[in-house]
């Protein structure tokens, strides 16, 4: 009885979209370990794991929002810009002697407000979310440059530097001697949302919306309400990521998070959240991001030429797609 | 005669016409502000219509213009290629390195560059059709592969091209003002428009984008159409890229991708009325949309506002266009409802 059940579990795992990704991750770790020991450095070490995890903190925040939205068949291309805006506003507030907790709160609220604005134009005017958020990201970027130039004599757009000890601690202090506070915050929020998506009514509704929006509407799901909530989540997460990034760097940077968006999105797609929505979960997205970041860190540990690293980065995506193709082909045969 | 007025009516009710009005208004504002017209002078001497400004506007247009036609047709058929900027970079790198290291005449290398692009397009279509990869993510992945190869070929530095005959392509102008390269780009847009609206192939493109399965059942070879469109998209892109090399006299490992002409082209295509999910639209709307975007950018520069307002304006324009679209659809819907009641 127990044996057949565990066999069933194993079979189920084989069928899961995440399975080939976990294999890929393991292969990656083995290859890098061998490669690194071949050239006399060490890959399989606690510092490497720390680097991998710390690298993905900001991308993970954006992935929470982006992943949920993609599950519902929507998209937010403005998240990274909204995050940068939140960071700039937070930094600006601190330099204008607003207390640090209030400044961070303002940053997060800015993120939520832009999320609401996104939700408003998408649900009210029925915009395609891809292009609406593409437009919004330009608008927000322009506003951000403007915000960063307020109060400067030459009115030029620049990064805003500040120093605040408490904020520095939030961004850089380590717990358990290795892992940063940021990482712990990220993991807690990520797990909460992963459970929310996988195990609650809300998550089911989101996936239904992505799988078949018309059927979901007929089934009495308040699609506008859910989409609004998802954009607010996305904006809020971007706001949190932006303010935390500002804490870490002690700077409201105009270029903040610009690569995190791409990593988050590709991680989510790599992790099995299909582009049209309705399928996948945040757990897979996390594995997807792990693969991407393990790869980046492994490349730097093994001292790979940057051109080759770029090529391999692309090939990695293709390999992941190919694995998915073979998995589906096998399932179709059965 | 009847037919002609119908065609005009159709154009007047479409997205292209609205964009054209926006374009004209933009240009008028630009001329009023930037030249001496208000002081009783001529509009052509300085400001927007000065030959320096127009020429810089037209030269800047080249990359997104060439990507526009290929991407537009791909999008209409329900596919997408996000690697066009990286493809152009790779073809540029290939061209520059071949020109440096071999003694082949420039046109042979030029054609080899286009062949390389065609192979890339074929590769993408195999990925999408035979291996069932989602085009969106597969082309993002391939995009970094091409960027990496280009960086390796160029050794991450600029490689200059000095062949006189090749460089003269970009120098050739009509009326001493309109560059040949821009003309070719516009011509390609119109050829694409003709193919889409007047040929069986074009009709099949729309059918493929509208409903792939139904089209296949109706006997359309959707795979062949997708393959051809991927290859055409890559070749046109590479052509634009090589013209860009002719303009700048060098192949640069990052310049093309960092200015993101593919995003500009994609925005223009969607602003011009091509649905992201495929099946609708044309090529004239996107062309005018691209002009609106570039002229707006240029006007703001001529007026002399801070450069970040350009970024803001492009986004605001996109959203404004979408709102206008919504209002028009709503008006039609209300009229229909009223007619029913």
């Amino acid at each position: 009885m127990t044996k057949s059940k565990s066999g069933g579990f194993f079979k189920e795992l084989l069928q899961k979209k995440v399975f080939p990704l976990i294999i890929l991750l393991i292969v990656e770790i083995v290859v890098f370990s061998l490669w690194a020991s071949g050239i006399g450095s060490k890959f399989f070490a606690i510092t490497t794991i720390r680097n991998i995890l710390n690298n993905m903190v900001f991308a993970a925040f954006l992935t929470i929002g982006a992943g949920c939205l993609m599950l519902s068949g929507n998209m937010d291309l403005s998240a990274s810009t909204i995050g940068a805006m939140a960071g700039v506003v937070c930094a600006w507030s601190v330099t204008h002697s607003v207390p640090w907790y209030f400044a961070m709160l303002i940053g997060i609220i800015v993120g939520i407000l832009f999320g609401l604005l996104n939700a408003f134009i998408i649900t009210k005017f029925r915009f395609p979310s891809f292009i609406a958020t593409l437009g919004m990201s330009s608008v927000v970027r322009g506003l951000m440059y403007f915000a960063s130039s307020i109060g400067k004599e030459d009115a030029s757009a620049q990064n805003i530097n500040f120093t605040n000890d408490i904020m520095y601690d939030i961004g850089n202090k380590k717990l358990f001697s290795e892992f940063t506070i940021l990482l712990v915050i990220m993991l807690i929020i990520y797990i909460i949302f992963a459970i929310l998506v996988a195990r609650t009514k809300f998550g089911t509704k989101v996936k239904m919306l992505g799988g078949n929006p018309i059927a979901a509407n007929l089934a009495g799901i308040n699609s506008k309400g859910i989409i609004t909530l998802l954009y607010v989540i996305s904006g809020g997460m971007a706001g949190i990521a932006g303010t935390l990034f500002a804490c870490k760097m002690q700077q409201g940077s105009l270029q903040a998070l610009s690569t995190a968006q791409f990593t988050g999105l590709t991680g989510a797609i790599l992790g099995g959240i299909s582009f049209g929505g309705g399928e996948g979960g945040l757990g897979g997205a996390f594995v997807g991001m792990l693969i991407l970041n393990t790869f980046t860190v492994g490349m730097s540990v093994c001292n790979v030429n940057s051109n080759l690293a770029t090529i391999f980065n692309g090939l990695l995506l293709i390999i992941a797609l190919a694995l998915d193709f073979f998995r589906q082909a096998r399932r179709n045969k059965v | 005669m009847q037919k002609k007025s119908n065609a005009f009516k159709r154009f007047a009710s479409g997205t292209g016409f609205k964009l054209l009005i926006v374009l004209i208004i933009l240009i008028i504002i630009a001329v009023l502000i930037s030249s001496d017209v208000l002081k009783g002078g001529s509009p052509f001497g300085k400001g927007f219509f000065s030959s320096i400004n127009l020429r810089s506007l037209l030269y800047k247009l080249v990359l997104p213009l060439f990507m526009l036609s290929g991407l537009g047709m791909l999008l209409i058929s329900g596919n997408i290629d996000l690697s066009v900027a990286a493809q152009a970079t790779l073809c540029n790198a290939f061209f520059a390195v071949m020109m440096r290291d071999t003694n082949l005449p420039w046109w042979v290398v030029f054609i080899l560059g286009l062949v390389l692009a065609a192979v890339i397009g074929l590769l993408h279509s195999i990925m999408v059709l035979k291996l069932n990869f989602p085009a969106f993510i597969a082309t993002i992945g391939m995009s970094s592969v091409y960027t990496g190869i280009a960086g390796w070929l160029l050794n991450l530095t600029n490689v200059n091209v000095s062949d006189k005959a090749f460089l003269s392509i970009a120098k050739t102008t009509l009326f001493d003002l309109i560059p040949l390269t821009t003309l070719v780009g516009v011509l390609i847009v119109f050829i694409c428009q003709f193919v889409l609206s007047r040929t069986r192939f074009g009709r099949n493109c729309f059918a493929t984008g509208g409903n792939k399965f139904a089209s296949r059942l109706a006997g359309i070879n959707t795979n062949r159409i997708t393959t051809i469109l991927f290859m055409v998209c890559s070749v046109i892109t590479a052509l634009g890229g090589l013209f860009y090399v002719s303009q700048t006299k060098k192949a640069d490992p990052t310049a093309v991708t960092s200015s993101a002409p593919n995003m500009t082209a994609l925005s223009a295509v969607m602003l011009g009325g091509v649905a992201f999910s495929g099946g609708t639209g044309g090529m004239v709307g996107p062309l005018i949309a691209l002009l609106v975007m570039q002229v707006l950018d240029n006007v703001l520069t001529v007026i002399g506002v801070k450069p970040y307002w350009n970024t803001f304006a492009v986004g605001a324009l996109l959203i404004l266009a979408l709102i206008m679209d919504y209002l028009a659809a709503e008006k039609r819907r209300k009229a229909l409802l009223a007619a029913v009641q």
Side-chain angles (χ1 to χ4, degrees):
Chain A
M1 180 68 197
T2 41
K3 200 175 179 189
S4 81
K5 202 174 178 188
S6 81
F9 170 74
F10 189 68
K11 243 184 195 163
E12 202 177 297
L13 188 69
L14 262 176
Q15 296 280 321
K16 280 221 160 122
K17 235 177 170 175
V18 151
F19 179 70
L21 293 173
I22 293 176
I23 301 274
L24 186 62
L25 184 60
I26 293 170
V27 169
E28 224 176 53
I29 292 171
V30 171
V31 167
F32 279 124
S33 302
L34 291 177
W35 188 348
S37 67
I39 60 169
S41 63
K42 206 168 161 207
F43 176 77
F44 204 78
I46 191 101
T47 42
T48 319
I49 299 173
R50 189 193 62 197
N51 282 342
I52 291 170
L53 288 174
N54 283 345
N55 266 353
M56 59 188 275
V57 165
F58 299 108
F61 277 115
L62 296 188
T63 304
I64 294 173
C68 292
L69 273 171
M70 269 166 67
L71 279 175
S72 77
N74 281 285
M75 178 146 227
D76 188 354
L77 292 179
S78 62
S80 70
T81 324
I82 291 178
M85 175 83 178
V88 166
V89 171
C90 173
W92 190 89
S93 310
V94 174
T95 51
H96 288 72
S97 56
V98 174
W100 64 271
Y101 48 87
F102 211 59
M104 288 183 70
L105 194 65
I106 291 174
I108 296 168
I109 288 172
V110 164
I112 290 175
L113 283 181
F114 277 114
L116 264 179
L117 188 59
N118 268 335
F120 174 74
I121 59 176
I122 285 165
T123 54
K124 165 83 181 147
F125 296 116
R126 280 173 298 192
F127 286 1
S129 60
F130 183 92
I131 184 154
T133 52
L134 192 69
M136 273 301 283
S137 86
S138 293
V139 169
V140 175
R141 186 158 290 279
L143 285 176
M144 171 176 73
Y145 285 154
F146 172 66
S148 76
S149 70
I150 295 175
K152 299 247 172 69
E153 300 95 52
D154 57 348
S156 65
Q158 275 164 358
N159 297 339
I160 302 177
N161 295 313
F162 65 93
T163 44
N164 183 306
D165 293 339
I166 301 172
M167 288 172 80
Y168 183 82
D169 282 352
I170 293 175
N172 295 287
K173 210 157 202 175
K174 284 168 185 160
L175 293 176
F176 317 122
S177 76
E178 283 293 349
F179 300 101
T180 56
I181 296 179
L182 286 185
L183 181 65
V184 176
I185 298 176
M186 181 275 277
L187 283 176
I188 292 171
I189 297 183
Y190 201 97
I191 290 169
I192 290 173
F193 273 92
I195 293 172
L196 208 61
V197 168
R199 293 267 180 269
T200 64
K201 232 186 211 168
F202 170 72
T204 318
K205 282 182 186 172
V206 168
K207 276 184 265 189
M208 258 184 93
L209 206 58
N212 190 337
I214 297 167
N217 250 334
L218 290 177
I221 289 174
N222 177 5
S223 58
K224 277 190 182 176
I226 286 183
I227 291 175
T228 307
L229 186 57
L230 289 178
Y231 274 103
V232 168
I233 290 173
S234 175
M237 287 299 149
I240 292 175
T243 43
L244 290 180
F245 188 80
C247 287
K248 186 178 178 188
M249 296 297 169
Q250 297 285 291
Q251 185 185 59
S253 163
L254 300 176
Q255 303 302 328
L257 306 178
S258 56
T259 54
Q261 167 123 41
F262 184 71
T263 319
L265 259 178
T266 37
I269 301 175
L270 195 65
I273 298 184
S274 65
F275 205 61
E279 214 187 327
L282 287 180
F286 197 81
V287 180
M289 272 190 300
L290 269 182
I291 292 178
L292 287 177
N293 280 296
T294 307
F295 197 77
T296 320
V297 171
M299 283 292 183
S300 71
V301 168
C302 296
N303 259 332
V304 178
N305 168 298
S306 74
N307 294 324
L308 271 180
T310 319
I311 295 176
F312 284 146
N313 238 327
L315 286 180
L316 184 71
L317 265 181
I318 303 293
I319 291 172
L321 288 175
L323 283 176
D324 197 44
F325 168 71
F326 290 126
R327 188 187 59 86
Q328 269 179 2
R330 211 181 46 214
R331 199 170 56 181
N332 289 346
K333 228 190 271 171
V334 176
Chain B
M1 191 62 217
Q2 184 68 37
K3 202 170 177 192
K4 207 168 188 182
S5 81
N6 270 347
F8 178 75
K9 246 185 199 162
R10 226 176 327 147
F11 179 67
S13 66
T15 322
F17 186 67
K18 270 179 243 155
L19 286 166
L20 195 61
I21 294 175
V22 174
L23 182 64
I24 293 169
I25 294 173
L26 263 178
I27 293 177
I28 291 174
I29 294 174
V31 170
L32 286 183
I33 293 179
S34 65
S35 73
D36 298 332
V37 172
L38 291 180
K39 295 172 204 142
S42 120
F44 298 104
K46 81 185 230 281
F48 183 79
F49 272 127
S50 69
S51 62
I52 299 174
N53 184 50
L54 276 186
R55 206 173 297 157
S56 89
L57 178 71
L58 291 172
Y59 274 119
K60 246 189 177 170
L61 206 60
V62 164
L63 276 176
L65 180 62
F66 276 82
M67 290 171 184
L68 182 86
S69 357
L71 269 181
M73 285 176 75
L74 257 184
L75 217 60
I76 285 175
S77 79
N79 263 305
I80 196 167
D81 192 334
L82 289 179
S83 68
V84 282
Q87 285 175 34
T89 309
L90 177 59
C91 291
N92 292 354
F94 172 78
F95 180 82
V97 170
M98 286 288 275
M99 287 298 281
R100 188 189 58 191
D101 296 345
T102 64
N103 285 325
L104 293 170
W106 71 269
W107 54 271
V108 175
V109 185
F110 195 90
I111 291 171
L112 282 177
L114 298 184
V115 172
L116 174 68
V119 172
I120 289 174
L122 187 65
L123 183 69
H124 286 181
S125 69
I126 290 172
M127 282 178 176
V128 169
L129 295 173
K130 298 279 177 245
L131 301 175
N132 266 335
F133 292 176
F136 194 93
I137 181 146
T139 51
I140 284 183
M142 290 315 284
S143 156
S144 63
V145 173
Y146 302 143
T147 314
I149 299 177
W152 170 69
L153 277 175
L154 294 172
N155 215 0
L156 287 182
T157 52
N158 296 337
V159 170
N160 294 323
V161 176
S162 53
D163 189 285
K164 284 230 169 60
F166 173 69
L167 294 182
S168 70
I169 294 177
K171 287 199 192 111
T172 316
T173 49
L174 191 67
F175 310 130
D176 219 14
L177 179 68
I178 304 166
L180 178 72
T181 49
T182 316
L183 268 183
V184 174
V186 173
L187 192 68
I188 290 177
V189 171
F190 280 107
I191 292 173
C192 289
Q193 169 65 27
F194 178 80
V195 168
L196 280 175
S197 60
R198 291 269 182 263
T199 67
R200 177 182 296 194
F201 179 82
R203 223 170 33 239
N204 291 351
C205 289
F206 281 109
T208 309
N211 189 335
K212 203 171 165 187
F213 297 105
S215 334
R216 203 178 295 153
L217 290 178
I220 297 172
N221 189 345
T222 53
N223 284 2
R224 203 186 57 156
I225 286 175
T226 310
T227 311
I228 292 175
L229 287 183
F230 265 113
M231 289 173 75
V232 165
C233 176
S234 295
V235 171
I236 297 177
T237 300
L239 191 62
L242 291 175
F243 283 161
Y244 183 74
V245 172
S246 170
Q247 271 175 23
T248 56
K249 304 185 176 72
K250 61 179 189 247
D252 186 306
T254 52
V256 176
T257 39
S258 65
S259 67
N262 50 343
M263 276 326 205
T264 313
L266 207 59
S267 307
V269 167
M270 290 195 263
L271 198 60
V274 177
F276 190 58
S277 48
T280 55
M283 292 312 308
V284 176
L287 176 64
I288 301 174
L290 179 66
L291 285 176
V292 169
M293 287 168 73
Q294 298 284 324
V295 168
L296 180 65
D297 188 70
N298 182 274
V299 166
L300 290 174
T301 314
V302 168
I303 293 173
V305 295
K306 292 276 171 207
Y308 45 78
W309 289 116
N310 293 13
T311 322
F312 177 85
V314 169
L317 183 74
L318 255 177
I319 289 172
L320 200 70
L322 287 169
I323 291 180
M324 298 271 285
D325 233 34
Y326 166 78
L327 291 179
E330 200 68 345
K331 205 170 148 195
R332 272 202 302 276
R333 199 175 64 95
K334 281 209 179 110
L336 254 175
L337 274 179
V340 169
Q341 280 161 2

